[in-house]
Amino acid sequence: MSNSNTSHEPLIISIVTIVYNNSTYVEDAIQSVLSQSYPFIEYIVIDGGSTDGTIEIIKKYQERISIFLSEKDKGIYDALNKGVRIASGNIIGFLHSDDVFTDKNVVKKIAESLSNSNVDGIYSDLDYVKKNNINSIVRHWESSTFSLNKLNSGWMPPHPTLYLHRTLYEQIGLFDLRYPIAADYDFILRLFSAPNINFKYIPEGFVKMRVGGQSNNSIPNIIRKFRETRDILNGHGFNGNIITIVKFMRKLSSFILR
């Protein structure tokens, strides 16, 4: 698959931020998007019906936000699906409400990479940082160039760094709501298993992600993520039990080493 911008018009990058009751950090995410040097951004903020002051913070920036929607949803991936459906840009990506870009030129680099007609999607490295100090790195997720056999070892790119041509969502589909915690992994397996799609790995950190997300903030959620990941792998024809353990041990060792 290949994409081209034959009219020579600039690529519109749709960035989706989803949020629910995160008045502490959502402003950092908003400011990170609005401070980007790349001018052709469609910024979409999807709120799940917050009651903690989050909406009031978002409204401070509403004139610079392309689309703001606040309504109850069925969870993270339902909100992400809403954002994808609403987005009208050539390229779609996400910046979650706990996250920030590493610098003001990240989206410019994404646009430059995806302006190549032979590139359908890009991804980069990611830094997990402390909640109250985004300059303190807890874990560096260094990704790598994709090859199909890596899926057998549980490989996946950092989802927050993944930016795709919108046509890929039409081809692959949206996030499967049967997996409330690990639907991004199911989506990535579908995406990276599909034929004739060209990905580019950019070996630098694009996103800082605060630790303590939903999938890792409690023992029940960790167990649920383990089970969802195993079921997803089995559903795609992989050995879910072994690969899930390998993924868990790899993640644990990277935190310990850091």
Side-chain angles (χ1 to χ4, degrees), residues 60-248:
K60 288 167 51 180
Y61 300 92
Q62 195 159 357
E63 290 186 0
R64 301 179 63 193
I65 293 172
S66 307
I67 300 172
F68 171 47
L69 175 67
S70 181
E71 62 183 21
K72 290 186 177 181
D73 54 49
K74 299 175 183 177
I76 292 172
Y77 296 105
D78 184 35
L80 290 176
N81 285 344
K82 288 180 183 181
V84 173
R85 292 189 187 102
I86 291 171
S88 62
N90 311 92
I91 310 299
I92 301 175
F94 308 108
L95 188 77
H96 299 312
S97 65
D98 278 342
D99 303 350
V100 295
F101 290 119
T102 51
D103 63 62
K104 66 179 183 180
N105 293 315
V106 166
V107 178
K108 181 181 179 182
K109 294 174 186 177
I110 291 168
E112 289 171 349
S113 296
L114 286 165
S115 64
N116 184 332
S117 62
N118 293 320
V119 178
D120 300 303
I122 68 99
Y123 59 93
S124 71
D125 300 334
L126 178 144
D127 286 325
Y128 288 94
V129 297
K130 291 184 178 180
K131 270 190 172 294
N132 297 317
N133 183 3
I134 60 172
N135 295 314
S136 178
I137 298 174
V138 177
R139 173 196 172 202
H140 177 68
W141 183 345
E142 182 175 339
S143 194
S144 60
T145 303
F146 169 68
S147 63
L148 195 59
N149 66 333
K150 288 182 179 179
L151 297 180
N152 289 296
S153 64
W155 179 93
M156 66 180 289
H159 185 241
T161 73
L162 187 64
Y163 280 73
L164 307 172
H165 276 272
R166 62 177 302 104
T167 52
L168 290 181
Y169 285 97
E170 298 166 5
Q171 176 184 344
I172 303 300
L174 300 176
F175 297 101
D176 191 333
L177 301 188
R178 292 179 298 170
Y179 306 113
I181 292 181
D184 57 336
Y185 188 44
D186 170 70
F187 175 80
I188 283 170
L189 284 179
R190 283 187 276 131
L191 177 67
F192 281 80
S193 296
N196 304 318
I197 299 178
N198 299 315
F199 299 99
K200 180 178 180 179
Y201 164 53
I202 301 175
E204 60 180 282
F206 274 2
V207 175
K208 293 182 178 182
M209 182 178 188
R210 287 183 171 92
V211 295
Q214 178 178 326
S215 63
N216 298 303
N217 64 5
S218 69
I219 296 299
N221 278 352
I222 291 172
I223 294 171
R224 185 171 186 176
K225 183 177 183 179
F226 184 96
R227 289 173 175 169
E228 285 187 16
T229 300
R230 178 199 60 199
D231 293 346
I232 288 166
L233 283 160
N234 288 336
H236 285 274
F238 297 98
N239 189 324
N241 289 324
I242 292 177
I243 295 177
T244 302
I245 292 172
V246 170
K247 282 172 63 66
F248 177 78

